[in-house]
Each structure stands twice: as C-alpha cells, then as structure tokens.
Amino acid sequence: VVKTGDGNAGRPRNERRTVTATDVAQAVGVSRSAVSRAFTPGALIADSTRQSVHAAAARLGYVPNALARMLISQRSRIVGVVMGTLINPFRSAVLDRLTAELHVAGYVPILFPVTPDSSVEDILPSIRQYQPEAVIMTGFTPVADALARMADSGVRVVVLNRGCEATVAADFISCDHMGGAALVAGRMLAAGYARLAVVGTGRGQVTTRSREDGFNAALRGAGLQPVQTVEAPLGYESGHAAAVRIMRDRRLPDAVFCLNDMTALGFIDAARTAYGLEPQRDYGIAGFDDIPMSAWPPYRLSSVTQPIAALAREVVTAIGRDGAGQSATCLLLPGSYVPRNSLRGEDAARRGAG
Amino acid sequence: VVKTGDGNAGRPRNERRTVTATDVAQAVGVSRSAVSRAFTPGALIADSTRQSVHAAAARLGYVPNALARMLISQRSRIVGVVMGTLINPFRSAVLDRLTAELHVAGYVPILFPVTPDSSVEDILPSIRQYQPEAVIMTGFTPVADALARMADSGVRVVVLNRGCEATVAADFISCDHMGGAALVAGRMLAAGYARLAVVGTGRGQVTTRSREDGFNAALRGAGLQPVQTVEAPLGYESGHAAAVRIMRDRRLPDAVFCLNDMTALGFIDAARTAYGLEPQRDYGIAGFDDIPMSAWPPYRLSSVTQPIAALAREVVTAIGRDGAGQSATCLLLPGSYVPRNSLRGEDAARRGAG
DNA sequence: TTGTAAGCGTTATCAA
DNA sequence: TTGATAACGCTTACAA
C-alpha cells in the first residue's frame, strides 16, 4: 500500500517536495525495499536492479534520509564532540585530526562547544537527544558526575587528554603528560640546571596537574624541588605575566618549565622584551604540546610533542570497539621530547622554514 | 494502543532498553501526547501535568529522541559545516565563533572536513542525507557547480569568506577583502613606500584573489603597480620561502603585502634570520587576518582585522532568515586596519602582553 | 532475488 | 486541556 501523505507536510510552500524511496521505487517499478537495498552496501540485490535504482535516484535527486535510517536501524553513527575553546593551536590540531579520523571511520561528528558560562551539565542531556553512539570530551575539564551519568545512559564516553578517572565507565585516552614532563626535567637536569621553576600551576586541568606532578617527581628523584612556582591559567598572556612576576623575585631560577607552549612563548617574549633575556643563552626554558609556533626562529622552544594522530586514531578505535563503556579503560601514549634551542647545550639545526 | 515492540531491537544485549515517551506516559498515567507536550516549549498543557511528566522523565532517564522529532516535524535544526583544515589560527577562530553562535540560535553543527583528497563533490550528497536546514561552507574553495546542486535540492547554502557567485542561489557573507587590501595599500603609500611587492598570489582562493585585486587597484589609483609578485600558497612556510626568493632578486621592494598573516610571519622570520632585515626598520610589511601571533613582540605585524564575531552572527542570521536560498545574496563586512609596527611611521604602544 | 508488512519514537491533527 | 491516530522515511524479518 502506498503512503497517502504528500511528503510535504509542514514544509514551507516554496520548497520542493522531498523525494523519498517510494518515489524512486515507483519510477523504477520496484518495491521500496529494493531501493533501500540498492543503497545498502553488501545487500542482496541484482546488479541490474541496483543500477536502475541508482539511475532513477540520480535523476530524481533522491538521497536516503539518514534520520529515518538512524531511527529504524538504531545506529546513529553520530559522535558528539564536546570541546572547549580553540584558542590554543594544539586544540585545533586535535580537532582537525579527530574529525578526519571520525570521517574515514564513517562517523559524523556533531559539535558541542563548552564555553566558560555553558556548563557541561547543561549540554550533556541535550547531546543525548541526538542518540550519539559515543561522546568525545576534550579541551575542557569534564565533571566526573556528568561523565558518569552519560555513561550510565548507555552512551560510550571517550575522554581525550583529561587523565583517567578509574571510577567512571569511560575510555580515557591521553598523552603521558607525567612522562613527558619527566623527560623535560631530565633534560634540564642533564643540562646542568639546578634552580628550576614551574609556570602554569593551579587547580586547572588534570593534564596540567599531571605535567606538574611528573616534573616535580623527576626533580625529587634527583633530590631537588622547584625553586619557584607560578600559579596561573595556561596561555600566552599568562606566560607573559609570569615572566614579569618571576623576574621581580630575588631567587631567580636558571630554567623554567612552562606547562604548555603558549605559556612558554609568552614567557620568552616578556623576558626578551622587558629584560633582554634570551632563552638558552640566559636561561633555560621548555614547554609542552609542540605547537607550530614553537619552531619559529624567535622561539626555537624545546617541547614535548603529543602524538596527535595516534591519539585521534585511538579515540575512534575506542568508539568502534564493542563491549566498551562497561568499565574504565586507560590508555597513555608517550610524548617525545623535541630538543630545539631553548636549553643549554641544545643545538637543533635550523630547518629552512620553521 | 500501546506499541508491542520492546524498543530494543537490534541493540547490543548489554545496553539497557531505550526509555521512550510511552514509558514516561505509562509511569505518569497520561497519554504519549501529553509527554510530548511537556517537552514542547509553549505547548498547551496543564502546569501540573508538565511537572509530573518532567519528574517521571528525570526519574526514568528519559530524553526525547531528536531523530524522531526531526523526522516527523521536518525540521532538523542541523547545520552542516563544511570546512577546510584548521592549520590557520584564523580558521579556528572562525569555527569557534560559528559553533558558539549556532548553538545559541538552537542549531546543531555537524562537521564535514574537506581535505585535499576528499573533494567537496563527494561529501555534499552525504551531507544531504542528514537533512540539514543549511550548509555553511568555509575555509576551502567550493565548486560553484556543487554549490548550485546543493542549493537546488532545497538546502540553504551559506558561503563564508569565499566571495560572491551571483549565479548561485546562496548567501555569500564575507569580509571586504578588496577594501581591506586597499586599506593596506593606502597606508603603505601614505608611509612613502613606492616599490611594493605582493606575496601569496595565485589561482588559490577567491579571498586571496580579492585581496590581491584590491591592493593592485589601489596602487593603480596612485599610478603604481607591484614591482614584484610572488605566487605561492598561503602559509608560514610559503612566506619563508617567498622572502628568500625576493631577496635573490635585484629589484628589491621596500614594502611587501603578504596576503595573510601566517605568510607574513614566515616572511619576517626568514628576512630576519637569513638577511638580518627588520620589519619597519628595513622594510615595510603588512598582512591580513590579524591572528593573535601577529601582535607578539617579534612581529608586531600591521594587519587587517576581520570582524569574525559579526561574520559569524550574519551567517546564522542568514540561516534563520526565511525565503532565503531563493536567490544570490551578498554581504560584505568591512575589515579594519590595525597599525602595529611593521610600516614606517607606525608606533603602536606595546601592550603589556601580546 | 524480490516484495510485504511491521515497526523506530516522535509530533500534528482532530475530536472529545 | 487531553487522548487517539496517522504520519515521517526508512530498514528488516519473513514469505514468496
């Protein structure tokens, strides 16, 4: 029996009627199921049928309605990407890889921005409405409680670069921030620096804390501890301000570990502009993230590269893996230290262009 | 009659059954319609009913299924965002504003990355499957033909910062690149530069071409033309290479207009590193986009700010406006010249931090 | 290999 | 103000 509706209910009158599978079926003279099968990879259908259906579809401008498909098949292929602001180039790089990776895996990312004033609590329920197969959280600090509720509702939750909460049934995938920071500490110590400072400390993000912890732990291993610690949110402006604050102090450090590159860049600029201090020559400095700008000549900042591509790949793998979301999973991918010219003794060849 | 299905068809057995409106209705002792109304703002429903429905929904963990809602109501609130890579900080800034703005307007952005190897042609049909109310194209050069087909299928198309194709029924919203570039030319001329070069020319993007055209036109108005033109894709590396190429030439320019900031930054670094040339002191330079890095002390690059927030706002306004998508619409928002310290005579006060 | 028919979870319509 | 009922456009047993 052919549906009676005109397929145009509630639609602005100037829009053309939606072309449905039924239309194509009629045009070709087959059943609606045949049309469906023609668009289902690997379905049992005669080649000739598929071809004529495709031809008619192209002619009529038919495209399967993904919404209806999701509804009936109970598979949305939708992945909610909940993320903080993109001001930090590292964040954009992650989003870039992530969307690319999701796409090749056949997922559709839908974006939910987390701004300072829109709490995650508020957006999670609205995300659930879209029946995502998974939700990726990154670039902001998720509230454990919200995570748990999300996971409880049967949605797979993957947390990228936000530590590991063993109590929540989610996949936590992260760069090994502690290890990376330990690498930095090791290099600083090896280079003979002894009066070390840390910039960017604070209650902030888990990642940040891990870096600080890793750095301090490595120092402790050598019987040391930071001579100075500047509490501040991460970012260029913060680094700038931190430099000023540090220089005012009497107990000057001989090397500083900025908890991310943007902060380090701000630090370098302030130290140079206001005090004529050059990295490497006058003090050691290192960052974390290895953003493109760190390689630029005015900075040549040594840093820790996060394996962005691998992280992104692991995230979509985690989404695809079944049986997941049942218990907490943690995956730590190592970062690698990139020596440039911001620590004593380093002498990275200048590449032609940044 | 209550539906007979268990609401769990085809679902992995370990996932809990989906909670539907019917469940809530039963729990409260009202009809499914009542539940629907309880979640429809402005619907005709008794306050007491709404409250008990909400209470039951919260208890059972019910969230309306947006997919089903879209299907029946013929309004998806989905906006396809088709965009190129985010390597350029300007792009991320745009995406940031755009998603935020879409969100407050009640739209849901779904992201379609355009990579060099995935042509737009291929992704547009797959976008249509999701029944978007509109598609925003930005950060890549859309094929006019693909645009037209999209618009033809009844989807509103908004093109951000990609010129204006009067033949396509789409909304073109863009910064006034010609005007902005003319501003740059004017400043350079006023500063007494006469031997001007342009870097970043090429068949590339419409935006880029507009900038070049605007610059050249302004020069022509003064009876001049560029003494040199470097054809190159935009980007840091390109700017770097361009500097080297320009310096090799005998007819050296006294000022160069890089078609975007990233390119200018690369140029500055190369000129300084390889030739000891300082912007402003030894040559004039300006860019376009005003990315955050341009304000950093090593660069202090004069540039043209694009009104990102306004552009984003106009885009979602265009989406919401009805009757649109019927004919081509063009909107040009002016950019503004930001003098810093890269042209002779400029003396921007150094802000404390970047 | 194809067609029939039963849903998926919601909202729109109409009558009560 | 509420409830029954018919779509929305599709996939998928099951039967042919």
Side-chain angles (χ1 to χ4, degrees):
Chain A
V1 177
V2 174
K3 289 285 176 66
T4 52
D6 74 344
N8 211 4
R11 195 166 275 265
R13 66 184 165 299
N14 51 5
E15 271 179 47
R16 80 208 75 247
R17 181 188 176 298
T18 314
V19 182
T20 76
T22 307
D23 299 321
V24 179
Q26 271 171 342
V28 181
V30 293
S31 72
R32 214 170 53 239
S33 343
V35 177
S36 172
R37 287 192 265 262
F39 283 95
T40 308
L44 225 62
I45 186 176
D47 241 34
S48 59
T49 312
R50 161 175 284 127
Q51 272 159 26
S52 44
V53 167
H54 275 163
R59 186 155 38 82
L60 301 176
Y62 168 74
V63 184
N65 185 325
L67 266 27
R69 192 216 310 281
M70 295 171 186
L71 192 57
I72 187 66
S73 67
Q74 303 283 65
R75 303 213 62 202
S76 69
R77 306 254 74 185
I78 285 180
V79 171
V81 178
V82 189
M83 68 174 330
T85 163
L86 296 176
I87 19 88
N88 188 331
F90 173 75
R91 296 258 182 91
S92 347
V94 169
L95 181 60
D96 226 16
R97 290 300 320 143
L98 211 48
T99 53
E101 215 70 65
L102 284 171
H103 222 255
V104 309
Y107 293 107
V108 184
I110 105 174
L111 229 57
F112 295 86
V114 179
T115 56
D117 41 79
S118 80
S119 108
V120 205
E121 302 281 333
D122 304 334
I123 55 180
L124 287 195
S126 87
I127 294 180
R128 273 192 57 201
Q129 296 199 320
Y130 296 92
Q131 317 296 119
E133 292 187 13
V135 173
I136 301 174
M137 317 251 192
T138 188
F140 74 101
T141 303
V143 188
D145 189 54
L147 280 190
R149 261 212 314 273
M150 197 81 209
D152 273 358
S153 71
V155 184
R156 182 155 315 161
V157 176
V158 183
V159 183
L160 176 55
N161 255 348
R162 243 68 199 165
C164 180
E165 205 96 40
T167 59
V168 182
D171 291 296
F172 293 83
I173 294 169
S174 175
C175 175
D176 179 5
H177 300 279
M178 289 197 70
L183 252 32
V184 171
R187 296 289 186 135
M188 287 185 167
L189 262 19
Y193 296 106
R195 311 175 42 71
L196 275 20
V198 180
V199 171
T201 286
R203 34 169 192 40
Q205 310 153 198
V206 205
T207 5
T208 311
R209 276 202 303 273
S210 302
R211 293 175 190 175
E212 187 186 0
D213 291 348
F215 188 77
N216 289 345
L219 254 50
R220 256 196 313 279
L224 289 174
Q225 60 174 34
V227 296
Q228 220 176 120
T229 290
V230 180
E231 189 177 320
L234 264 30
Y236 183 91
E237 318 268 329
S238 276
H240 213 279
V244 175
R245 219 171 330 152
I246 281 193
M247 296 307 170
R248 279 216 201 90
D249 203 307
R250 271 172 295 281
R251 276 175 65 83
L252 286 181
D254 53 13
V256 8
F257 176 38
C258 291
L259 261 20
N260 80 359
D261 278 10
M262 283 295 271
T263 311
L265 267 23
F267 190 100
I268 291 176
D269 278 338
R272 176 151 51 210
T273 306
Y275 305 95
L277 262 25
E278 284 298 322
Q280 189 177 51
R281 189 192 70 186
D282 304 315
Y283 67 99
I285 186 169
F288 207 112
D289 288 347
D290 190 27
I291 60 177
M293 295 84 213
S294 298
W296 292 357
Y299 305 105
R300 314 240 77 228
L301 175 71
S302 300
S303 185
V304 177
T305 306
Q306 295 197 47
I308 299 184
L311 287 167
R313 220 172 308 120
E314 288 296 344
V315 168
V316 338
T317 303
I319 290 174
R321 193 164 38 224
D322 57 34
Q326 294 301 101
S327 59
T329 281
C330 284
L331 182 62
L332 241 48
L333 263 36
S336 53
Y337 183 83
V338 189
R340 264 185 290 249
N341 298 285
S342 66
L343 249 41
R344 196 144 58 202
E346 290 176 336
D347 185 22
R350 302 218 158 173
R351 300 213 346 265
Chain B
V1 176
V2 174
K3 288 286 175 64
T4 52
D6 75 345
N8 211 2
R11 197 166 273 265
R13 65 187 167 299
N14 50 5
E15 269 178 47
R16 82 208 73 247
R17 181 187 175 300
T18 314
V19 182
T20 77
T22 307
D23 299 321
V24 180
Q26 271 172 342
V28 181
V30 293
S31 72
R32 217 171 47 241
S33 330
V35 177
S36 171
R37 287 192 266 262
F39 283 95
T40 307
L44 227 62
I45 186 176
D47 240 34
S48 58
T49 311
R50 161 174 285 125
Q51 272 158 25
S52 43
V53 167
H54 276 164
R59 187 155 37 80
L60 300 177
Y62 168 75
V63 184
N65 185 326
L67 266 26
R69 193 215 310 279
M70 294 171 186
L71 192 58
I72 186 67
S73 67
Q74 304 283 61
R75 302 215 61 205
S76 68
R77 305 257 74 184
I78 285 180
V79 172
V81 178
V82 189
M83 69 175 329
T85 164
L86 297 175
I87 19 88
N88 188 332
F90 173 74
R91 297 259 181 89
S92 347
V94 169
L95 181 61
D96 227 14
R97 290 299 320 143
L98 210 49
T99 52
E101 215 70 63
L102 284 171
H103 223 256
V104 310
Y107 292 107
V108 184
I110 103 176
L111 228 57
F112 294 87
V114 179
T115 56
D117 39 79
S118 80
S119 108
V120 204
E121 301 280 335
D122 304 333
I123 55 180
L124 287 195
S126 88
I127 294 180
R128 273 192 57 202
Q129 296 198 317
Y130 295 93
Q131 317 296 119
E133 293 188 12
V135 172
I136 301 173
M137 317 251 192
T138 189
F140 74 102
T141 303
V143 187
D145 188 54
L147 281 189
R149 260 212 315 272
M150 197 83 209
D152 273 358
S153 71
V155 185
R156 180 156 316 160
V157 176
V158 183
V159 182
L160 176 55
N161 254 347
R162 242 70 199 164
C164 181
E165 206 96 41
T167 60
V168 181
D171 291 297
F172 293 83
I173 294 169
S174 176
C175 175
D176 179 5
H177 300 280
M178 289 197 71
L183 253 31
V184 172
R187 295 292 185 131
M188 287 185 168
L189 262 21
Y193 297 105
R195 311 176 41 72
L196 275 19
V198 181
V199 170
T201 287
R203 31 160 199 45
Q205 309 152 199
V206 205
T207 4
T208 311
R209 275 201 303 273
S210 302
R211 292 175 191 175
E212 188 187 359
D213 291 347
F215 188 77
N216 289 344
L219 253 49
R220 255 194 314 278
L224 289 175
Q225 60 174 34
V227 295
Q228 219 175 120
T229 290
V230 180
E231 188 177 320
L234 264 32
Y236 183 90
E237 316 268 332
S238 276
H240 214 277
V244 175
R245 221 174 325 154
I246 282 193
M247 296 307 170
R248 280 217 202 90
D249 203 306
R250 272 173 294 281
R251 277 175 65 83
L252 286 180
D254 53 13
V256 7
F257 175 38
C258 291
L259 261 21
N260 81 357
D261 278 10
M262 283 295 271
T263 311
L265 266 23
F267 190 102
I268 292 177
D269 278 339
R272 174 150 53 210
T273 306
Y275 306 94
L277 262 25
E278 284 297 321
Q280 189 176 52
R281 188 191 71 187
D282 303 315
Y283 67 99
I285 186 170
F288 207 112
D289 287 348
D290 190 27
I291 60 176
M293 295 83 212
S294 298
W296 293 356
Y299 305 105
R300 315 241 76 229
L301 175 71
S302 300
S303 186
V304 177
T305 305
Q306 296 197 47
I308 299 184
L311 286 168
R313 221 171 307 119
E314 289 296 344
V315 168
V316 336
T317 303
I319 290 174
R321 192 163 41 221
D322 57 35
Q326 293 302 100
S327 60
T329 283
C330 284
L331 182 63
L332 242 46
L333 263 38
S336 53
Y337 182 83
V338 190
R340 268 189 283 251
N341 298 284
S342 66
L343 251 41
R344 196 145 57 205
E346 289 176 338
D347 184 23
R350 302 220 159 172
R351 299 208 350 262

